[in-house]
Amino acid sequence: MNLELFDDFDTAPVTSELLCDGAMVLRRFALQDGKDLLAAVDAIAQHAAFRRMETPGGLRMSVAMTGCGAYGWISDRSGYRYDSVDPLTGLAWPRMPHLFLELARRAAAQAGFDGFEPDACLINRYEAGARLSLHQDKDERSFDHPIVSLSLGMPAVFLFGGLQRADRAMRIPLMHGDAVVWGGPARLRYHGVLPVKASPHPLAGDCRINLTFRKVT
Ligand code: MD3
Ligand code: FE
């Protein structure tokens, strides 16, 4: 007989870990919605394809990106910016699915940021070996709003540093279904993702998908 209350991974409870003032991990927050979230990502990618963007320095990013909502994030030879038009299609980005909005609002509120209304969802796709080097998210107009991230598919190790690039970084494993909320004094911390290891996921296959919800304007 099974005497464990939460023995089944699918029904295990959401737990929260405070990383530092302003940053909170909500383990398994989006676990129940994983399938629907991945299906919505596929639908978005049919209209706004995943693409590996070029950095201003001329390097191609290993992470493939797309987005939805009023604004999408773009990198090219001229710099980083948000734009309401997808340069690949000349069209507006796909609208943000209600499920995305609802989860982003609820995660933010759970971490103490009530009233979060994201106008952009950046969608990152990592294949084995893809990584994101240490950076700050500072292309948004105001840093008064948090950023909510949802991880899906293959696990990854997240690097969470300080306000200076050289500050020592914590290593935080992020799994399918985990949410992280970063705001207040943590909003401008350096962060990145170590090269993702191949470990095929039952729903996502050979990739890791990360959704980041932002208020850009
Ligand atoms: C910490 N994405 O798209 S979101 C990004 O897993 C990005 O794809 C990562 O960094 C990924 O810009 C992780 C985590 C994140 C986002 C914003 C932050 C961490 C943050 C802002 C401040 C501090
Ligand atoms: Fe970032």
Side-chain angles (χ1 to χ4, degrees):
M1 194 171 96
N2 174 19
L3 297 174
E4 288 285 333
L5 206 47
F6 297 113
D7 165 275
D8 189 354
F9 182 70
D10 285 339
T11 58
V14 175
T15 60
S16 58
E17 305 161 22
L18 194 63
L19 295 177
C20 67
D21 193 10
M24 188 179 276
V25 183
L26 305 171
R27 297 282 178 200
R28 295 174 290 276
F29 180 83
L31 199 55
Q32 314 278 355
D33 298 300
K35 228 181 188 151
D36 292 343
L37 288 168
L38 288 167
V41 168
D42 277 343
I44 288 162
Q46 284 176 26
H47 294 92
F50 279 105
R51 79 290 308 260
R52 289 172 56 203
M53 298 188 211
E54 202 175 353
T55 64
L59 300 174
R60 195 159 292 282
M61 299 179 72
S62 58
V63 178
M65 299 180 173
T66 183
C68 64
Y71 298 94
W73 185 82
I74 292 160
S75 175
D76 61 19
R77 291 307 296 256
S78 70
Y80 307 128
R81 65 190 174 281
Y82 284 96
D83 202 312
S84 57
V85 171
D86 175 357
L88 270 191
T89 61
L91 301 172
W93 298 92
R95 39 174 31 87
M96 197 171 327
H98 188 264
L99 174 65
F100 284 25
L101 257 184
E102 190 265 323
L103 287 171
R105 288 173 177 149
R106 196 153 51 78
Q110 213 160 116
F113 300 97
D114 280 318
F116 181 49
E117 287 296 332
D119 55 11
C121 173
L122 176 61
I123 307 175
N124 294 341
R125 186 183 70 196
Y126 298 75
E127 291 178 358
R131 60 190 283 270
L132 200 58
S133 55
L134 220 53
H135 66 278
Q136 290 172 297
D137 289 16
K138 52 179 186 189
D139 300 323
E140 300 74 26
R141 188 169 293 167
S142 159
F143 307 130
D144 295 344
H145 307 283
I147 291 180
V148 171
S149 118
L150 299 181
S151 291
L152 298 167
M154 301 197 299
V157 176
F158 183 76
L159 287 176
F160 187 46
L163 293 174
Q164 313 272 122
R165 185 181 290 277
D167 291 345
R168 252 191 101 79
M170 295 187 264
R171 289 169 180 229
I172 301 151
L174 290 179
M175 266 86 66
H176 178 77
D178 290 347
V180 194
V181 182
W182 330 80
R187 178 63 182 76
L188 286 174
R189 286 224 197 191
Y190 277 88
H191 58 277
V193 179
L194 291 182
V196 171
K197 290 189 183 141
S199 61
H201 184 272
L203 297 177
D206 290 315
C207 67
R208 167 177 191 257
I209 300 282
N210 183 266
L211 310 178
T212 48
F213 296 91
R214 299 132 189 277
K215 177 133 180 72
V216 169
T217 59

